[in-house]
Amino acid sequence: MKYSTEHNTKNKTGNEIPKRNLLTFILSGDFLLQRKTLEYIPFIVLFFGLALTAIINQKSIKQKTKWIDKKEIEYKMILNELKKSNQFIPYNQLSIIQEQAKSMGFVKNNANTYKITVKSNNSK
């Protein structure tokens, strides 16, 4: 038998992680040059794109909720002003007022409104 002195050396294909410290390997950016990492770059870009879109959507949602809260406060303030000046009738009282109007002889003009005619005594 012939014995040969073959060394069992590994071919460096770029897929191997060096034996040095993993932290310095990542911080130096050498992992980005490996063939395995280069295959996943489109997925990494897609992931960061989706993450950026989610962040922008969350910011937009927060702005819209602030705007809605502001409009709700304005609505409540206007509603209070109308109640103070007796220009607002709550919905549950509206049906009671309609029943009282029917009993007093007012007639519905159409399905949604009552027609109340007032005669004026303007004599010129």
Side-chain angles (χ1 to χ4, degrees):
M1 273 198 224
K2 293 185 178 178
Y3 292 101
S4 64
T5 57
E6 292 182 12
H7 294 292
N8 196 2
T9 60
K10 295 180 181 177
N11 295 334
K12 293 193 175 189
T13 59
N15 289 337
E16 301 169 4
I17 297 176
K19 302 268 185 202
R20 61 185 172 155
N21 189 358
L22 183 63
L23 182 63
T24 58
F25 179 68
I26 292 173
L27 290 177
S28 67
D30 290 339
F31 74 97
L32 294 172
L33 298 176
Q34 287 188 339
R35 185 178 307 259
K36 190 173 184 180
T37 307
L38 291 175
E39 292 173 358
Y40 292 116
I41 284 181
F43 298 110
I44 293 170
V45 169
L46 178 66
F47 173 75
F48 282 111
L50 291 175
L52 182 66
T53 304
I55 291 169
I56 291 171
N57 282 341
Q58 279 297 96
K59 187 174 181 181
S60 174
I61 288 170
K62 285 181 181 179
Q63 287 176 349
K64 287 180 182 178
T65 52
K66 284 181 183 178
W67 182 79
I68 289 171
D69 291 342
K70 179 182 161 189
K71 291 296 178 183
E72 187 173 326
I73 290 170
E74 287 179 19
Y75 169 75
K76 287 180 180 179
M77 288 174 55
I78 291 171
L79 196 61
N80 285 337
E81 289 296 320
L82 289 173
K83 284 181 181 179
K84 285 179 184 176
S85 63
N86 290 331
Q87 295 179 4
F88 174 76
I89 300 173
Y91 183 75
N92 57 355
Q93 292 180 3
L94 187 61
S95 60
I96 297 169
I97 293 172
Q98 288 176 351
E99 292 298 322
Q100 287 177 355
K102 279 183 188 177
S103 66
M104 293 173 65
F106 295 107
V107 186
K108 268 192 174 185
N109 192 14
N110 61 22
N112 295 326
T113 61
Y114 281 90
K115 180 179 181 183
I116 301 173
T117 56
V118 179
K119 296 180 181 177
S120 62
N121 293 332
N122 290 341
S123 57
K124 291 184 181 179

